[in-house]
Amino acid sequence: MGRWRPDARQRLEKAALELYQERGFAQTTVTEVAERAGLTERTFFRHFVDKREVLFSAGDAFGQTLVEAIENAPSKLSPIDAVGVAVEATAAFFENRLEFVRVRQSVIAENPELQERERIKLASLVSLLADGLRRRGVADPAASLAAEMGITVFRIAMGRWINEPNGPSLAMLMRDSLDALKKVSAGKR
């Protein structure tokens, strides 16, 4: 087995997604994932805490991208525009992973336990954004509202990106969704 090749994590991720699609998340074991990847269970656990983490392991890096982007956003921006900058900064995180994102979302959509985990991850991202806004001097409820709306913009744009083959880039969809939110907030259609 090629246990020590440098691409073990990617191989495990690919094998897991294939099996989750073929057999279902609940029916897939870590042993099967490791075998499909040509690795051992021990190697799997070096990279992932459990089989769910294959789908959620990028959450910390994604959150860090949001935090850094909101901290570096120009100080003159409104809270919603600062959140927009942060959300749009995450587009690069996903651009070359469309197929992974599509499969990931389909696996999550079929499993209530994973849906709950996804909601928890999204709630933690809202907290990160709201904290970032508070550090920028934005008081509540404005900080919390802007953060919630930012993650909503992210979810809407991501859904469109996944479901619109050959459509606009994720960054463009995020800008478009933020603009639509601003129009709705201003009472426009």
Side-chain angles (χ1 to χ4, degrees), residues 27-110:
Q27 292 76 25
T28 300
T29 67
V30 168
T31 302
E32 292 166 330
V33 171
E35 286 175 1
R36 170 81 58 102
L39 299 163
T40 64
E41 268 188 78
R42 187 174 183 173
T43 302
F44 179 94
F45 287 115
R46 280 191 196 114
H47 294 279
F48 302 103
V49 173
D50 59 30
K51 68 181 189 175
R52 294 176 305 174
E53 274 309 297
V54 172
L55 301 168
F56 296 99
S57 65
D60 290 340
F62 179 77
Q64 188 60 36
T65 299
L66 282 174
V67 168
E68 289 172 6
I70 202 148
E71 286 174 357
N72 295 323
S75 60
K76 66 180 185 334
L77 292 180
S78 68
I80 196 66
D81 286 327
V83 166
V85 165
V87 168
E88 190 175 331
T90 67
F93 194 81
F94 296 101
E95 283 296 343
N96 296 321
R97 299 187 57 140
L98 178 57
E99 192 52 36
F100 170 82
V101 173
R102 281 185 175 145
V103 173
R104 177 188 180 276
Q105 287 309 117
S106 71
V107 170
I108 290 170
E110 294 174 7

Side-chain angles (χ1 to χ4, degrees), residues 66 87 122 125-126 129 146-156:
L66 282 174
V87 168
L122 290 172
L125 296 174
V126 169
L129 280 175
E148 288 282 354
M149 291 303 92
I151 295 304
T152 299
V153 163
F154 167 79
R155 285 186 322 100
I156 298 296

